[in-house]
Amino acid sequence: MENLKSDDLEIAVALEDPIRISWIGESGFTDPGAVLDPYIARLGDAFCGRNAIVDFMDLNYMNSSTVRSIIYLCKLFNEKSIQTTIIYNKSLNWQAVSFRPLESLGQLFEYINVEGKEASA
Amino acid sequence: MGDRVTIVYEFASVQDKLKELRKKLQHQLRDKDPELVDATVMSAAELVENAIKYGSSEISFNLAIENDLLTIGVANRSMDQGDLDSFKAHVAKIRQSEDVGELYTQRLMELIEDPLRGPTQLGLIRIAHEGKFELDYRQEDDLIRVTATRSLN
């Protein structure tokens, strides 16, 4: 599975067990349907039934369209039975505020778990 | 008396101007608290992105820090009447909400139903919830001026 490199965002896929999908940089897509959502769809197809960590620790910015794409990722990975742990950086206020509600929403999904972590020094 | 910093940009139209705006704001606000910078950059970008999506190709933006208040202002013309009505209702709902975090969670729940269809409608909620800004607007004929204000104290 190839990495995504578009504008200021890189999504790096490491084929480990669990598969690590790291979002790095800034995601300001105004039309996620053009690049981001199709890529997420390919991730869903590629890793059906596997275990994955989706790591947002190094994401420095996202717009609200990206939030929707993350919701799409959660829903799709759940449908594809991808046992997924979503990690966000709770040391960053904006990530804590944006991702914390996903922790409770994650309970709606059988295969999705959302965890806040402190950034390492 | 508070310090006064005013940054004014004029936008032609293009979406990648959002990135330029974020970089400029990060630079201009580099001596401020990082949480405030993140909140301001996000809120400014969301307001301008909304103006691009729903407004005309001419958008004016300004940011002012005065008397311990930070105010972001975005003005644009030619918003479709349906979009304008929807915008007004959305702002009113946010302003009247006693728990904007709950509004954010509710909207995420709605998006789970069908995440790829329809408007996201998260930007203004994020500005109030994540950015801690108070939203308001003023309409002058076909010009709509949206402001987001936050106390620095």
Coordinates of all heavy atoms in Angstrom, one line a residue, chain A residues 18-78:
Chain A
P18 N 0.4 -4.5 14.6 CA -0.6 -3.9 13.7 C 0.0 -3.0 12.6 O 1.1 -2.4 12.8 CB -1.5 -3.2 14.6 CG -0.7 -2.8 15.8 CD 0.4 -3.9 15.9
I19 N -0.7 -2.8 11.5 CA -0.3 -1.9 10.5 C -0.4 -0.4 11.1 O -1.4 -0.1 11.8 CB -1.3 -2.0 9.3 CG1 -1.1 -3.3 8.6 CG2 -1.1 -0.8 8.3 CD1 -2.3 -3.9 8.0
R20 N 0.6 0.4 10.9 CA 0.6 1.7 11.4 C 0.4 2.7 10.3 O 1.1 2.8 9.3 CB 1.9 2.0 12.1 CG 2.0 3.4 12.8 CD 3.2 3.6 13.6 NE 3.1 2.9 14.9 CZ 2.5 3.4 16.0 NH1 2.1 4.7 16.0 NH2 2.5 2.8 17.1
I21 N -0.6 3.5 10.5 CA -1.0 4.5 9.5 C -0.8 5.9 10.1 O -1.6 6.3 11.0 CB -2.4 4.3 9.0 CG1 -2.6 2.9 8.4 CG2 -2.8 5.4 8.0 CD1 -4.1 2.5 8.2
S22 N 0.3 6.6 9.8 CA 0.6 7.8 10.5 C 0.3 9.0 9.7 O 0.7 9.1 8.5 CB 2.1 7.8 10.8 OG 2.5 6.7 11.6
W23 N -0.5 10.0 10.2 CA -0.8 11.2 9.6 C 0.2 12.3 10.0 O 0.3 12.5 11.2 CB -2.2 11.7 9.9 CG -3.3 10.8 9.4 CD1 -3.4 9.4 9.5 CD2 -4.5 11.2 8.7 NE1 -4.6 9.0 8.9 CE2 -5.3 10.1 8.5 CE3 -5.0 12.5 8.3 CZ2 -6.5 10.1 7.8 CZ3 -6.2 12.5 7.7 CH2 -6.9 11.4 7.4
I24 N 0.9 12.8 9.1 CA 2.0 13.8 9.4 C 1.8 15.1 8.6 O 1.6 15.1 7.4 CB 3.4 13.1 9.0 CG1 3.5 11.8 9.7 CG2 4.5 14.0 9.3 CD1 4.5 10.8 9.1
G25 N 1.9 16.2 9.4 CA 1.9 17.5 8.7 C 0.6 18.2 8.9 O 0.0 18.2 10.0
E26 N 0.0 18.7 7.8 CA -1.2 19.5 7.9 C -2.2 19.0 6.9 O -1.8 18.8 5.7 CB -0.9 21.0 7.7 CG 0.1 21.6 8.7 CD 0.2 23.1 8.6 OE1 -0.3 23.7 7.6 OE2 0.9 23.7 9.5
S27 N -3.5 18.9 7.3 CA -4.5 18.5 6.3 C -5.5 19.6 6.2 O -6.3 19.9 7.1 CB -5.2 17.2 6.9 OG -6.2 16.9 6.0
G28 N -5.5 20.3 5.1 CA -6.4 21.4 4.8 C -7.2 21.2 3.6 O -7.5 22.2 2.9
F29 N -7.5 20.0 3.3 CA -8.2 19.7 2.0 C -9.6 20.4 2.1 O -10.4 20.1 3.0 CB -8.4 18.2 1.8 CG -7.2 17.5 1.6 CD1 -6.6 16.7 2.6 CD2 -6.5 17.5 0.4 CE1 -5.4 16.0 2.4 CE2 -5.3 16.8 0.2 CZ -4.8 16.0 1.2
T30 N -9.9 21.2 1.1 CA -11.2 21.7 1.0 C -12.2 20.8 0.2 O -13.4 20.9 0.3 CB -11.2 23.1 0.3 OG1 -10.6 23.0 -0.9 CG2 -10.5 24.1 1.2
D31 N -11.6 19.9 -0.5 CA -12.4 18.9 -1.2 C -11.8 17.5 -0.9 O -11.1 16.9 -1.8 CB -12.5 19.1 -2.7 CG -13.3 18.1 -3.4 OD1 -14.0 17.4 -2.8 OD2 -13.2 18.0 -4.7
P32 N -12.1 16.9 0.2 CA -11.4 15.6 0.6 C -11.9 14.5 -0.4 O -11.2 13.5 -0.5 CB -12.0 15.3 2.0 CG -12.5 16.6 2.5 CD -12.9 17.4 1.3
G33 N -13.0 14.7 -1.0 CA -13.5 13.7 -2.0 C -12.5 13.5 -3.1 O -12.6 12.4 -3.8
A34 N -11.7 14.5 -3.4 CA -10.8 14.3 -4.5 C -9.6 13.4 -4.2 O -9.2 12.7 -5.1 CB -10.3 15.7 -4.9
V35 N -9.0 13.5 -3.1 CA -7.8 12.8 -2.8 C -7.9 12.0 -1.5 O -7.6 10.8 -1.5 CB -6.6 13.8 -2.6 CG1 -5.4 13.1 -2.1 CG2 -6.4 14.6 -3.8
L36 N -8.3 12.6 -0.4 CA -8.3 11.9 0.9 C -9.2 10.8 1.0 O -8.8 9.7 1.4 CB -8.5 13.0 2.0 CG -8.2 12.6 3.4 CD1 -6.8 12.1 3.6 CD2 -8.4 13.8 4.3
D37 N -10.5 11.0 0.7 CA -11.5 9.9 0.9 C -11.2 8.7 0.0 O -11.3 7.6 0.5 CB -12.9 10.5 0.7 CG -13.3 11.5 1.7 OD1 -12.6 11.5 2.8 OD2 -14.2 12.3 1.5
P38 N -10.8 8.9 -1.3 CA -10.5 7.7 -2.1 C -9.3 7.0 -1.5 O -9.3 5.7 -1.6 CB -10.2 8.3 -3.5 CG -10.9 9.6 -3.5 CD -10.9 10.1 -2.1
Y39 N -8.3 7.7 -1.0 CA -7.2 7.0 -0.4 C -7.6 6.2 0.9 O -7.2 5.0 1.0 CB -6.1 8.0 0.0 CG -4.9 7.4 0.6 CD1 -4.0 6.7 -0.2 CD2 -4.7 7.4 2.0 CE1 -2.8 6.1 0.4 CE2 -3.5 6.9 2.6 CZ -2.6 6.2 1.7 OH -1.5 5.6 2.3
I40 N -8.5 6.8 1.7 CA -9.0 6.0 2.9 C -9.8 4.8 2.4 O -9.7 3.7 3.0 CB -9.9 7.0 3.7 CG1 -9.1 8.0 4.4 CG2 -10.7 6.2 4.7 CD1 -9.9 9.2 5.0
A41 N -10.5 4.9 1.3 CA -11.2 3.8 0.8 C -10.3 2.7 0.4 O -10.5 1.5 0.6 CB -12.1 4.2 -0.4
R42 N -9.1 3.0 -0.2 CA -8.1 2.0 -0.6 C -7.5 1.4 0.6 O -7.2 0.2 0.6 CB -7.1 2.7 -1.5 CG -7.6 3.1 -2.9 CD -6.5 3.1 -3.9 NE -5.4 4.1 -3.6 CZ -5.6 5.4 -3.8 NH1 -6.7 5.9 -4.4 NH2 -4.6 6.3 -3.5
L43 N -7.3 2.2 1.7 CA -6.8 1.6 2.9 C -7.7 0.6 3.4 O -7.3 -0.5 3.9 CB -6.6 2.7 4.0 CG -5.4 3.7 3.8 CD1 -5.5 4.8 4.9 CD2 -4.1 3.0 3.8
G44 N -9.0 0.9 3.4 CA -10.0 0.0 3.9 C -10.0 -1.3 3.1 O -10.1 -2.4 3.7
D45 N -9.9 -1.2 1.8 CA -9.9 -2.4 1.0 C -8.6 -3.3 1.2 O -8.6 -4.5 1.3 CB -9.9 -2.1 -0.5 CG -11.3 -1.5 -0.9 OD1 -12.3 -1.8 -0.2 OD2 -11.4 -0.8 -1.9
A46 N -7.5 -2.5 1.4 CA -6.2 -3.2 1.5 C -6.0 -4.0 2.9 O -5.4 -5.0 2.9 CB -5.0 -2.2 1.4
F47 N -6.7 -3.4 3.9 CA -6.4 -4.0 5.2 C -7.6 -4.6 5.9 O -7.6 -4.8 7.1 CB -5.8 -2.9 6.1 CG -4.5 -2.3 5.6 CD1 -4.3 -0.9 5.5 CD2 -3.5 -3.1 5.1 CE1 -3.2 -0.4 5.0 CE2 -2.3 -2.6 4.6 CZ -2.2 -1.2 4.5
C48 N -8.5 -5.0 5.1 CA -9.7 -5.7 5.6 C -9.4 -6.8 6.5 O -8.6 -7.7 6.2 CB -10.5 -6.2 4.4 SG -12.2 -6.8 4.8
G49 N -10.0 -6.8 7.7 CA -9.8 -7.9 8.7 C -8.4 -7.9 9.4 O -8.2 -8.8 10.3
R50 N -7.6 -6.9 9.2 CA -6.3 -6.8 9.9 C -6.4 -5.9 11.1 O -7.5 -5.4 11.4 CB -5.3 -6.2 8.9 CG -5.1 -6.9 7.5 CD -4.2 -8.1 7.6 NE -2.8 -7.7 7.9 CZ -2.0 -7.3 6.9 NH1 -2.3 -7.3 5.6 NH2 -0.7 -7.0 7.2
N51 N -5.3 -5.7 11.8 CA -5.2 -4.8 12.9 C -4.5 -3.6 12.5 O -3.5 -3.7 11.7 CB -4.4 -5.5 14.1 CG -5.1 -6.7 14.6 OD1 -6.4 -6.8 14.6 ND2 -4.4 -7.7 15.0
A52 N -4.9 -2.4 13.0 CA -4.2 -1.2 12.6 C -4.2 -0.2 13.7 O -5.0 -0.1 14.6 CB -5.0 -0.6 11.4
I53 N -3.1 0.7 13.7 CA -3.0 1.9 14.5 C -3.1 3.1 13.6 O -2.3 3.1 12.6 CB -1.7 1.9 15.3 CG1 -1.7 0.8 16.3 CG2 -1.5 3.2 16.0 CD1 -0.4 0.6 17.1
V54 N -4.0 4.0 13.8 CA -4.0 5.2 13.0 C -3.5 6.3 13.9 O -4.1 6.6 15.0 CB -5.4 5.5 12.5 CG1 -5.4 6.8 11.6 CG2 -6.0 4.3 11.7
D55 N -2.4 6.8 13.6 CA -1.6 7.7 14.5 C -1.7 9.2 14.0 O -1.2 9.5 13.0 CB -0.1 7.2 14.5 CG 0.8 8.0 15.4 OD1 0.3 9.0 15.9 OD2 1.9 7.5 15.7
F56 N -2.3 10.0 14.9 CA -2.4 11.4 14.5 C -1.4 12.3 15.4 O -1.6 13.5 15.4 CB -3.8 11.9 14.8 CG -4.8 11.3 13.8 CD1 -5.6 10.2 14.2 CD2 -5.0 11.9 12.6 CE1 -6.5 9.7 13.3 CE2 -5.9 11.3 11.7 CZ -6.7 10.2 12.0
M57 N -0.5 11.7 16.1 CA 0.4 12.4 17.0 C 1.2 13.5 16.3 O 1.5 14.5 16.9 CB 1.4 11.4 17.7 CG 0.8 10.4 18.6 SD 0.0 11.1 20.1 CE 1.5 11.5 21.0
D58 N 1.5 13.3 15.0 CA 2.3 14.3 14.3 C 1.5 15.1 13.3 O 2.0 15.7 12.4 CB 3.5 13.6 13.6 CG 4.5 13.1 14.6 OD1 4.8 13.7 15.6 OD2 5.0 11.9 14.4
L59 N 0.2 15.1 13.5 CA -0.7 16.0 12.7 C -0.7 17.4 13.4 O -1.1 17.5 14.5 CB -2.1 15.4 12.6 CG -3.0 16.1 11.6 CD1 -2.6 16.0 10.2 CD2 -4.5 15.6 11.8
N60 N -0.3 18.4 12.6 CA -0.2 19.7 13.2 C -1.4 20.6 13.0 O -1.6 21.6 13.6 CB 1.0 20.4 12.7 CG 2.3 19.7 13.0 OD1 2.4 19.2 14.1 ND2 3.2 19.6 12.0
Y61 N -2.3 20.2 12.0 CA -3.4 21.0 11.7 C -4.4 20.2 10.9 O -4.0 19.4 10.1 CB -3.1 22.3 10.9 CG -4.3 23.0 10.4 CD1 -5.0 23.9 11.2 CD2 -4.7 22.8 9.1 CE1 -6.1 24.6 10.7 CE2 -5.9 23.5 8.6 CZ -6.5 24.4 9.4 OH -7.7 25.0 9.0
M62 N -5.7 20.4 11.2 CA -6.7 19.8 10.2 C -7.9 20.7 10.2 O -8.2 21.4 11.2 CB -7.1 18.4 10.7 CG -7.9 18.3 12.0 SD -8.4 16.6 12.3 CE -9.1 16.9 14.0
N63 N -8.5 20.8 9.0 CA -9.7 21.5 8.9 C -10.9 20.6 9.1 O -10.8 19.4 9.3 CB -9.8 22.2 7.5 CG -9.9 21.2 6.4 OD1 -9.8 20.0 6.6 ND2 -10.0 21.7 5.1
S64 N -12.1 21.3 9.1 CA -13.3 20.5 9.5 C -13.6 19.4 8.4 O -14.2 18.4 8.8 CB -14.5 21.4 9.8 OG -14.8 22.2 8.7
S65 N -13.3 19.7 7.2 CA -13.5 18.6 6.2 C -12.7 17.4 6.5 O -13.1 16.3 6.2 CB -13.1 19.2 4.8 OG -13.9 20.3 4.4
T66 N -11.5 17.6 7.1 CA -10.7 16.4 7.5 C -11.3 15.7 8.6 O -11.3 14.4 8.7 CB -9.3 16.9 7.9 OG1 -8.7 17.6 6.8 CG2 -8.4 15.7 8.3
V67 N -12.0 16.4 9.5 CA -12.7 15.7 10.6 C -13.7 14.7 10.0 O -13.8 13.6 10.5 CB -13.4 16.7 11.6 CG1 -14.2 16.0 12.6 CG2 -12.4 17.7 12.2
R68 N -14.4 15.2 9.0 CA -15.4 14.3 8.4 C -14.7 13.1 7.8 O -15.3 12.0 7.9 CB -16.2 15.1 7.3 CG -17.2 14.2 6.6 CD -18.3 14.9 6.0 NE -17.9 15.6 4.8 CZ -18.8 16.2 4.0 NH1 -20.1 16.2 4.3 NH2 -18.4 16.8 2.9
S69 N -13.6 13.3 7.2 CA -12.9 12.2 6.6 C -12.4 11.2 7.6 O -12.4 10.0 7.4 CB -11.7 12.7 5.8 OG -12.1 13.4 4.6
I70 N -12.1 11.7 8.8 CA -11.7 10.8 9.9 C -13.0 10.0 10.4 O -12.9 8.8 10.7 CB -11.1 11.6 11.1 CG1 -9.7 12.1 10.6 CG2 -10.9 10.7 12.3 CD1 -9.1 13.1 11.5
I71 N -14.1 10.6 10.4 CA -15.3 9.9 10.7 C -15.6 8.8 9.7 O -15.9 7.7 10.0 CB -16.5 10.9 10.7 CG1 -16.4 11.9 11.8 CG2 -17.9 10.1 10.8 CD1 -16.7 11.4 13.2
Y72 N -15.3 9.2 8.4 CA -15.5 8.2 7.3 C -14.5 7.0 7.5 O -14.9 5.8 7.4 CB -15.2 8.9 6.0 CG -15.1 7.9 4.8 CD1 -16.1 7.0 4.5 CD2 -14.0 8.0 4.0 CE1 -15.9 6.1 3.4 CE2 -13.8 7.2 2.9 CZ -14.8 6.2 2.6 OH -14.7 5.4 1.5
L73 N -13.3 7.3 7.9 CA -12.3 6.3 8.2 C -12.8 5.3 9.3 O -12.7 4.1 9.1 CB -11.0 6.9 8.5 CG -9.8 5.9 8.8 CD1 -8.5 6.6 8.4 CD2 -9.7 5.5 10.3
C74 N -13.3 5.9 10.4 CA -13.8 5.1 11.5 C -14.9 4.2 11.0 O -14.9 3.0 11.3 CB -14.3 6.0 12.6 SG -13.1 6.9 13.5
K75 N -15.9 4.7 10.3 CA -17.0 3.9 9.8 C -16.6 2.8 8.9 O -17.0 1.7 9.0 CB -18.0 4.9 9.2 CG -19.3 4.1 8.8 CD -20.4 5.1 8.3 CE -21.7 4.3 8.1 NZ -22.8 5.2 7.7
L76 N -15.7 3.2 7.9 CA -15.3 2.2 6.9 C -14.4 1.1 7.6 O -14.7 -0.1 7.3 CB -14.4 3.0 5.9 CG -13.9 2.1 4.8 CD1 -15.0 1.6 3.8 CD2 -12.8 2.8 3.9
F77 N -13.5 1.5 8.4 CA -12.6 0.5 9.0 C -13.5 -0.5 9.9 O -13.2 -1.7 10.0 CB -11.5 1.1 9.9 CG -10.3 1.6 9.0 CD1 -10.4 2.0 7.7 CD2 -9.0 1.6 9.6 CE1 -9.3 2.4 7.0 CE2 -7.9 2.0 8.9 CZ -8.1 2.4 7.5
N78 N -14.5 0.1 10.5 CA -15.4 -0.8 11.3 C -16.1 -1.8 10.4 O -16.2 -2.9 10.8 CB -16.3 0.1 12.1 CG -17.1 -0.6 13.2 OD1 -16.5 -1.1 14.1 ND2 -18.4 -0.7 13.0

